[in-house]
Amino acid sequence: MTVAATVEGASLRAVPQRRFELLRYFSVASLIGVLIVLTVLVYFYRYFAFEALEQHETQDNVAITHTFASRIWPKYADYVKGSSTLSVEELRNNPVVAQIHADVVRQMEDLSVVKVKIYDLNGRTVFSTDPKQIGQDKSGDGGFIAAKAGQAVSEITFRNQFDSFEKVINDRNLISSYIPIRKHDRDAPEGVFEVYSDVTAYVGELERATFRIVGLVLASLGLLYAFLFGIVRRADRTIRAQSDEVDRAHQQVIEYQALHDPLTGLPNRDSLTQRLGGMLRTLHRTDKKCAVLKIGLDGFKEINDSLGHLVGDATLKEIGHRLSEQFRETDITARTGGDEFVVAISGVGGEFEIRHVVDAVERIRKIVSEQPVITGGQVLTITACIGVAVYPDDGNSVFELLKSSNAALSHAKRERRNSYQFHTPDMNARALEMLLIERELRKALQDGQFCLHYQPQIEIASGHVIGAEALIRWDHPQRGLLAPSHFISVAEERNLIVAIGEWVLHEACRQNHLWQQAGMSRLPVSINLSAKHFDKKSLVDEVVGALAETGLAPEFLKLELTETSVMHDSEAAIATMHRLKAVGVKLALDDFGTGFSSLSQLKGLPLDNLKIDQSFVRGLPDDSNDVAICSAIIAMGKALGMSVIAEGVETEEQMSLLRALGCQEVQGYLVSRPLPADQYLAFMVSRKID
């Protein structure tokens, strides 16, 4: 996810939240749920099972009562109805009771009935297999009342102690049924029969069935729980992972907001301090430098006051966006507050160059002011002042550099709008000189202030001139004739080198064709191609066009390439070189030995010449290393079928040694300085070459 996008809706305050423990809650809830389900299931199972048992036993007891009513009751009905006048003692000692007992026992044989009681309609116990209960009043008993009303009811008692027909039995499960005694179902009850049935065996079987069901249910619930537990545990891990991710994202948002400006999304002052400190620690171990550019928008207060803060904020966001897109990731772009921004750029190469800073300053001024800011229906033309401080010249710490750049910005604002100042006066002078040279170079291209001088190249063996190298000069209106060392680096930095190279190509071809028309020997002219010019896709077409336009034959043009341009993209470079060779021009590798060419790379290049760099020639004949290098280059060139030319030859000793080493061609002050076109023609005449 993009943190910058998250920042807009996020809060700066971290709100700690308790983690939702899904697995724990599931375990507790599942246990409670299992207990509830099991309890409810057992309860209803027992309820319905015992209800069914009671109904079954009630039906059996009703059948028993019907049998009693049809067989025994007629013998004792009168006794029961008239027993209300007898005392309890008289009832218990009445011989009819013994007869009833004998008849009841006989009828109940082989049945599960263990006790019988008979009540008259007043609720008095007139008979019981337990003699102690004869005479008791049961008129208020619910079962008796229901039976007296004509309804048979039963109830179960567990683990009871009771008197059976024969003896006292303990710990039994009984069902007692109150059943009305009547001859026919339509008749009114004449008495109440209470029958006690022993259902211990049934209850025991029911208990065992209950345990089996509980076990089965527990096993099923256990399997279901295990399955759900696995799902929930996986879900819990997912939730934890998502929660951790949310926490990390939230923490990232907090950290991002702590180190970034909420309006532009750029690093804020704290972040700038940290990152710039890291940059300085890295640079401290090297010989590189860096520059801190403090940028202040001109007249921004008036924009806020006249157009409102919404327009002002939109302007700051747009400028911040432009700055962040313009610089490398290794550079630092930050907003330090208000209308002020900071750009910190690290040095390139082993030594910091002023042109890199000037280039950065010009890029900032261009992106700020070149395109207007359109917001809220307003079209705003923005300019900025810039203050520059360089490490370590203007400070060794972050604090010192920011202080120096701020002082330089204040100075720039006092000067004028859309200006910049270096903290060090010497840097200001050098920067102004570079900008002045750039402007003057552009004017020189427009006004034709450049010219070519030609340095002759001779064959050592014969002394004949075999060609010339065209070298550019700037005929400056105030400073006079300037060598390339005064302006080529600026031209390369400010992207003017290609335009200058195109001019050199056309002018050298034109002049060589004019010499040939004037009757001078038809010799090639060499020109130097910069790496940027050589990388240009339309180079071959430009060469063909220049030859066609000037009328020069291709074999009289030699292009000198540097190792850097050839080795930058070797495959593309070799393809371009083959296309140039197909046109018919000659190719030379300039400054050979200063780069990193290997023999395997060199043998694949379609070259005509190798040029020994003058830095190796300068040490001849005294420097043994230079002698060895020159000897190796000459031998390599010969082995590859290329002629070798040494440049910068200034003494006879150098010439003699090169001749002894087998070098074929030379150029340098010993032969001639670079000459204007007319003087070069005179030189050729003096050498008796026409």
Side-chain angles (χ1 to χ4, degrees):
M1 83 180 164
T2 304
V3 178
T6 310
V7 170
E8 296 185 1
S11 169
L12 279 171
R13 183 177 57 189
V15 181
Q17 295 182 352
R18 185 177 180 181
R19 187 189 298 275
F20 180 73
E21 300 288 347
L22 177 62
L23 197 59
R24 177 191 300 173
Y25 295 141
F26 170 77
S27 300
V28 174
S30 297
L31 181 59
I32 295 174
V34 167
L35 292 176
I36 292 175
V37 169
L38 194 60
T39 301
V40 171
L41 183 63
V42 171
Y43 171 79
F44 280 106
Y45 173 76
R46 288 177 62 86
Y47 173 80
F48 289 118
F50 284 113
E51 185 177 282
L53 179 61
E54 287 180 1
Q55 292 177 358
H56 179 270
E57 291 298 322
T58 300
Q59 292 174 359
D60 288 349
N61 291 337
V62 168
I64 293 170
T65 303
H66 285 168
T67 303
F68 174 82
S70 62
R71 294 182 181 179
I72 302 175
W73 178 254
K75 290 173 56 177
Y76 305 110
D78 293 336
Y79 164 74
V80 173
K81 294 175 182 177
S83 62
S84 58
T85 60
L86 301 176
S87 65
V88 173
E89 191 65 30
E90 290 174 339
L91 283 174
R92 291 177 179 175
N93 297 322
N94 196 307
V96 177
V97 171
Q99 295 175 11
I100 295 174
H101 186 277
D103 289 339
V104 168
V105 169
R106 190 167 49 251
Q107 183 178 340
M108 302 305 170
E109 287 180 357
D110 300 326
L111 297 177
S112 60
V113 176
V114 295
K115 188 175 182 179
V116 174
K117 295 171 70 175
I118 299 174
Y119 305 100
D120 63 13
L121 292 179
N122 295 318
R124 193 179 190 196
T125 307
V126 297
F127 172 77
S128 175
T129 53
D130 181 4
K132 295 187 298 294
Q133 294 180 340
I134 295 175
Q136 290 180 350
D137 184 10
K138 300 288 285 188
S139 59
D141 186 271
F144 169 79
I145 296 172
K148 181 180 178 181
Q151 182 181 359
V153 296
S154 298
E155 63 180 9
I156 189 168
T157 57
F158 299 101
R159 304 305 176 192
N160 198 15
Q161 173 182 318
F162 62 94
D163 292 315
S164 182
F165 292 107
E166 304 295 337
K167 58 181 179 179
V168 175
I169 301 177
N170 295 314
D171 199 25
R172 306 297 290 176
N173 301 310
L174 305 175
I175 288 181
S176 61
S177 300
Y178 291 87
I179 304 164
I181 303 174
R182 51 193 172 189
K183 297 177 181 178
H184 302 285
D185 292 339
R186 296 185 302 273
D187 297 338
E190 297 179 358
V192 174
F193 202 63
E194 184 179 7
V195 180
Y196 288 79
S197 300
D198 185 0
V199 292
T200 302
Y202 295 109
V203 171
E205 183 61 30
L206 186 63
E207 294 290 348
R208 288 189 291 274
T210 301
F211 285 126
R212 286 195 295 269
I213 291 173
V214 168
L216 182 62
V217 171
L218 280 177
S220 301
L221 291 177
L223 291 175
L224 179 62
Y225 175 81
F227 174 72
L228 294 177
F229 184 85
I231 295 176
V232 172
R233 183 171 62 177
R234 185 178 182 88
D236 185 64
R237 290 175 179 174
T238 302
I239 292 173
R240 286 174 180 269
Q242 292 174 344
S243 177
D244 292 340
E245 182 66 24
V246 170
D247 290 344
R248 285 193 295 270
H250 187 61
Q251 186 62 32
Q252 288 175 358
V253 169
I254 295 173
E255 293 174 356
Y256 183 92
Q257 291 174 329
L259 296 175
H260 288 78
D261 173 50
L263 178 62
T264 63
L266 294 174
N268 59 16
R269 181 180 293 275
D270 291 338
S271 179
L272 171 66
T273 302
Q274 294 179 18
R275 295 177 61 183
L276 184 56
M279 181 184 289
L280 297 185
R281 287 190 294 272
T282 301
L283 295 175
H284 182 69
R285 298 189 293 267
T286 67
D287 59 350
K288 295 181 180 180
K289 299 184 179 182
C290 76
V292 176
L293 285 62
K294 186 72 171 290
I295 305 159
L297 303 184
D298 295 327
F300 184 75
K301 185 177 184 299
E302 287 77 4
I303 294 176
N304 268 341
D305 293 343
S306 60
L307 301 178
H309 288 283
L310 290 179
V311 174
D313 289 349
T315 301
L316 292 173
K317 289 176 68 175
E318 175 61 22
I319 297 301
H321 175 70
R322 293 181 185 180
L323 289 173
S324 63
E325 283 193 334
Q326 189 63 222
F327 292 93
R328 305 168 298 176
E329 293 184 359
T330 54
D331 299 328
I332 304 171
T333 305
R335 181 189 175 210
T336 55
D339 64 343
E340 292 184 344
F341 298 84
V342 170
V343 174
I345 56 174
S346 57
V348 178
E351 182 179 354
F352 185 80
E353 297 290 347
I354 184 63
R355 64 176 179 269
H356 297 141
V357 184
V358 175
D359 177 64
V361 169
E362 289 300 310
R363 283 157 57 195
I364 292 172
R365 294 173 65 183
K366 183 177 180 181
I367 63 175
V368 170
S369 61
E370 188 175 68
Q371 293 183 350
V373 175
I374 303 175
T375 177
Q378 303 291 330
V379 180
L380 306 176
T381 300
I382 308 296
T383 58
C385 288
I386 304 170
V388 184
V390 177
Y391 168 85
D393 304 40
D394 302 323
N396 287 308
S397 67
V398 173
F399 174 77
E400 292 174 349
L401 286 173
L402 292 177
K403 181 180 178 182
S404 297
S405 64
N406 192 62
L409 175 61
S410 299
H411 186 199
K413 287 186 173 182
R414 287 194 297 269
E415 289 289 321
R416 66 183 185 279
R417 297 169 70 96
N418 199 29
S419 64
Y420 70 91
Q421 288 288 327
F422 282 80
H423 184 261
T424 304
D426 179 58
M427 294 285 280
N428 265 326
R430 291 167 62 190
L432 290 173
E433 180 183 7
M434 175 173 286
L435 291 180
L436 178 62
I437 291 175
E438 179 189 353
R439 287 195 290 268
E440 290 180 341
L441 278 175
R442 296 185 185 277
K443 183 173 177 57
L445 278 170
Q446 295 174 358
D447 297 347
Q449 296 176 7
F450 294 112
C451 62
L452 292 181
H453 285 194
Y454 300 89
Q455 187 170 40
Q457 299 170 333
I458 68 169
E459 184 180 57
I460 296 179
S462 64
H464 292 164
V465 177
I466 55 162
E469 180 179 2
L471 301 170
I472 191 170
R473 298 291 186 266
W474 182 5
D475 191 5
H476 195 281
Q478 288 82 36
R479 301 169 65 185
L481 200 64
L482 299 178
S485 59
H486 290 87
F487 60 88
I488 285 296
S489 61
V490 176
E492 289 179 342
E493 184 67 27
R494 311 310 295 175
N495 293 322
L496 296 172
I497 193 67
V498 174
I500 292 175
E502 292 173 355
W503 179 86
V504 171
L505 172 64
H506 283 76
E507 177 61 20
C509 291
R510 185 192 68 81
Q511 183 61 63
N512 196 9
H513 187 250
L514 287 178
W515 283 331
Q516 292 180 11
Q517 286 182 324
M520 197 176 75
S521 296
R522 298 163 67 84
L523 300 174
V525 62
S526 302
I527 65 168
N528 293 282
L529 283 183
S530 68
K532 290 183 179 179
H533 198 179
F534 182 70
D535 287 340
K536 193 176 180 183
K537 293 183 178 180
S538 60
L539 171 64
V540 177
D541 295 334
E542 288 180 10
V543 171
V544 172
L547 293 171
E549 182 180 334
T550 60
L552 183 67
E555 62 267 24
F556 300 117
L557 174 64
K558 182 184 294 183
L559 302 178
E560 296 188 1
L561 315 173
T562 63
E563 287 187 67
T564 303
S565 62
V566 172
M567 298 307 169
H568 171 65
D569 185 354
S570 58
E571 291 186 5
I574 292 174
T576 301
M577 293 169 71
H578 279 292
R579 291 177 62 198
L580 290 170
K581 288 292 292 182
V583 171
V585 300
K586 299 181 183 298
L587 299 177
L589 192 61
D590 193 14
D591 301 335
F592 185 74
T594 60
F596 301 96
S597 295
S598 67
L599 184 59
S600 61
Q601 293 171 316
L602 189 62
K603 70 179 182 179
L605 302 179
L607 296 170
D608 297 289
N609 295 94
L610 289 181
K611 293 191 73 173
I612 303 175
D613 188 69
Q614 61 182 340
S615 62
F616 302 121
V617 175
R618 192 177 298 120
L620 300 180
D622 301 322
D623 192 318
S624 59
N625 291 328
D626 287 341
V627 172
I629 292 172
C630 290
S631 177
I633 294 173
I634 293 168
M636 184 184 301
K638 286 184 176 181
L640 295 174
M642 305 175 192
S643 61
V644 179
I645 181 169
E647 59 182 353
V649 179
E650 298 181 355
T651 67
E652 288 292 348
E653 290 80 4
Q654 293 171 344
M655 176 75 85
S656 297
L657 180 58
L658 289 169
R659 181 184 294 110
L661 293 175
C663 183
Q664 297 101 329
E665 302 165 6
V666 296
Q667 71 181 77
Y669 284 3
L670 180 63
V671 178
S672 173
R673 291 176 175 272
L675 303 170
D678 55 346
Q679 294 182 25
Y680 178 76
L681 181 58
F683 173 82
M684 297 291 287
V685 171
S686 70
R687 302 282 293 200
K688 298 185 182 337
I689 297 179
D690 47 32

